[in-house]
Amino acid sequence: AGSSADARARTHADGAMAAARDRQGPLLDGPQQRTADLAESPEKYRLAVLKLSASFLMLFAGYNSAQGLQSSLNGAIGFVNLGVLYGTFSVLCVIAPALVQGLEARGYSLLPPLVISGIVYVCMISANAHAIPAEGQAGRTTFVVLNVGLSFLVGVMAPVLWTIQNMYVARCALCAASCSDDPEEMNRTTAAFNGIFFMFFQFAGALGTGTSTLVLALDNGGGSRTALFIVLGVLSLLGALGFLLIPQLPRSLAIPAMASEDQSRSRREVADGAAEQRSGGCSQTLRLAVSDLRMGLFIPLIFVNGCFLAFQFGDYPKTFVTETLGPNWTGPGLLVFYLTNSAASVMWGFLIQRKLVRIWTAFVLAFLVQLLVLVVLIISSFGAIPFFRKHYEFHEDTQNLRRTAAPMCTRSGD
């Protein structure tokens, strides 16, 4: 009886996958031939992820650098900008999945929201090319409203941008893995594709830092701020326009048919799950935190990672790099972080996809490495080991853009 049930479950899963392939439609509107070409080989899905990743690389090479300079160039208004941006971002992250799902369910293309989101980022960056007038000067109110307003718009569009990005990479992985009979192939392919994406995304920090340093080094006309933000705006514009070149993707295959633990579910359970998924809604997003044990366990990790990044981009450069090696090494020190993070992202994905490392093993190893770093830094701060002896005094200098721009461009954890 058990064998018969397993056989029926496998038959149902195979039938669901076949039916899903038969009724696929485009995720992003466009020529059907490109969609058909994409289905020829799993490698086409990898190429699609590469194109999406390249667009994010250019977009955030400009944005991350501009974001890192907010507090140093715009003073208190810079903190207001970031507060409005990430406050709006946090709240609307709950709404964005339902919005994107509703647009797709009604047959709307998801390409325009990607491009529009990118353009909003470009406008926010470009607005910083002109300094905000001081208190009492003409035009101050206009520039303050412009900066805060554009930061609010970025906070509105960022959840949409990242929701579509997650859908895009996940669907590429799902469709590429559907060519294999191995039930674990989806997990490995997802890890590999996310590794590719975050390799490009983390390299955006290195590209932005290098570009900013070069622009400031070559500018001798005194207009370093204007020149810097024009270059950063152009980089981000190339990324926004790059969304027009990403290939069309099919709609997702039935996830229950791909997950081995769900293969024994009845047709009624599958249908109920699909109906709930279509209904969307903010409550569905919020319920994940309490209804899905894995998602609930991820929430502390998300906050810990945020604190770790704040330490990496803020306290570490000041306390352990600048005071030990000098201010000239702050930029190169964080540049090494970005390059290493970029390489490690694709390395972990490769190891998992090739079955050399399990996902749980990767989590444990990553935890131990980061714990070792923190323990060494704590011991060093008490002078127990001579790794970070203080040789320089740190002094804030927010008036000289040439001294602060390169290090501040790297202090952006998104």
Side-chain angles (χ1 to χ4, degrees):
S3 300
S4 176
D6 291 342
R8 286 197 301 271
R10 286 194 296 269
T11 301
H12 171 60
D14 294 340
M17 289 177 60
R21 292 192 187 97
D22 292 339
R23 62 174 179 267
Q24 282 178 9
L27 168 63
L28 305 179
D29 292 344
Q32 295 297 323
Q33 183 60 41
R34 291 172 64 190
T35 301
D37 292 342
L38 196 60
E40 290 178 357
S41 167
E43 288 302 315
K44 295 294 182 69
Y45 295 104
R46 185 183 300 272
L47 180 60
V49 172
L50 285 171
K51 291 182 178 180
L52 178 74
S53 303
S55 295
F56 269 79
L57 165 65
M58 301 303 292
L59 178 64
F60 281 90
Y63 169 74
N64 282 349
S65 299
Q67 175 190 242
L69 287 166
Q70 282 297 308
S71 58
S72 61
L73 295 184
N74 295 329
I77 300 302
F79 288 107
V80 173
N81 288 341
L82 294 176
V84 169
L85 193 160
Y86 282 102
T88 308
F89 193 170
S90 300
V91 172
L92 296 186
C93 275
V94 180
I95 302 174
L99 174 63
V100 172
Q101 195 172 38
L103 289 174
E104 188 180 24
R106 290 169 174 77
Y108 291 106
S109 170
L110 297 183
L111 178 57
L114 272 180
V115 178
I116 293 172
S117 298
I119 296 299
V120 171
Y121 275 79
V122 174
C123 292
M124 180 265 190
I125 295 168
S126 302
N128 286 273
H130 191 286
I132 297 178
E135 288 280 358
Q137 293 185 351
R140 175 177 172 81
T141 301
T142 300
F143 278 97
V144 168
V145 171
L146 177 64
N147 275 264
V148 175
L150 288 173
S151 295
F152 172 77
L153 290 179
V154 171
V156 170
M157 298 306 299
V160 176
L161 179 78
W162 283 103
T163 298
I164 297 176
Q165 179 273 330
N166 275 273
M167 291 172 59
Y168 201 99
V169 174
R171 290 184 179 183
C172 280
L174 191 62
C175 294
S178 67
C179 301
S180 172
D181 295 329
D182 187 347
E184 291 297 321
E185 183 63 24
M186 189 181 80
N187 290 335
R188 290 193 292 268
T189 305
T190 301
F193 282 12
N194 275 287
I196 291 172
F197 174 81
F198 282 102
M199 175 188 70
F200 278 84
F201 182 74
Q202 293 296 343
F203 189 73
L207 178 61
T209 301
T211 302
S212 301
T213 303
L214 181 63
V215 169
L216 296 174
L218 295 178
D219 179 66
N220 295 316
S224 56
R225 174 172 181 150
T226 301
L228 174 61
F229 282 102
I230 288 176
V231 172
L232 295 179
V234 170
L235 282 177
S236 293
L237 180 61
L238 292 175
L241 297 178
F243 291 133
L244 297 172
L245 303 179
I246 61 177
Q248 315 304 317
L249 287 177
R251 292 185 184 273
S252 61
L253 300 174
I255 292 179
M258 287 299 301
S260 58
E261 66 269 20
D262 291 338
Q263 287 182 351
S264 60
R265 295 201 309 173
S266 66
R267 287 180 174 83
R268 182 179 181 84
E269 288 174 311
V270 175
D272 290 345
E276 181 182 359
Q277 202 171 35
R278 286 193 300 268
S279 66
C282 304
S283 60
Q284 181 181 350
T285 304
L286 291 173
R287 281 201 306 270
L288 278 175
V290 294
S291 63
D292 189 298
L293 177 61
R294 290 168 296 185
M295 190 66 239
L297 292 174
F298 263 116
I299 292 176
L301 179 63
I302 293 171
F303 281 96
V304 169
N305 188 60
C307 294
F308 192 91
L309 287 177
F311 170 76
Q312 174 64 38
F313 295 126
D315 294 328
Y316 180 79
K318 172 185 175 182
T319 306
F320 295 100
V321 177
T322 301
E323 293 185 357
T324 302
L325 301 176
N328 292 334
W329 284 93
T330 304
L334 289 178
L335 188 64
V336 169
F337 166 79
Y338 277 121
L339 293 175
T340 305
N341 201 327
S342 179
S345 295
V346 72
M347 178 199 73
W348 286 115
F350 175 82
L351 292 176
I352 293 171
Q353 187 180 38
R354 295 305 176 98
K355 306 180 184 180
L356 300 175
V357 173
R358 297 179 59 189
I359 293 178
W360 174 250
T361 305
F363 266 114
V364 173
L365 291 176
F367 163 72
L368 292 176
V369 170
Q370 290 192 332
L371 179 63
L372 176 63
V373 170
L374 293 177
V375 169
V376 170
L377 293 179
I378 290 173
I379 295 175
S380 299
S381 65
F382 288 103
I385 53 178
F387 287 169
F388 296 94
R389 290 177 175 172
K390 187 174 180 179
H391 298 288
Y392 294 85
E393 290 287 342
F394 184 88
H395 297 285
E396 295 285 354
D397 183 4
T398 59
Q399 302 301 318
N400 193 328
L401 178 62
R402 291 184 181 276
R403 293 184 185 178
T404 62
M408 288 301 298
C409 282
T410 64
R411 298 184 186 186
S412 50
D414 189 358

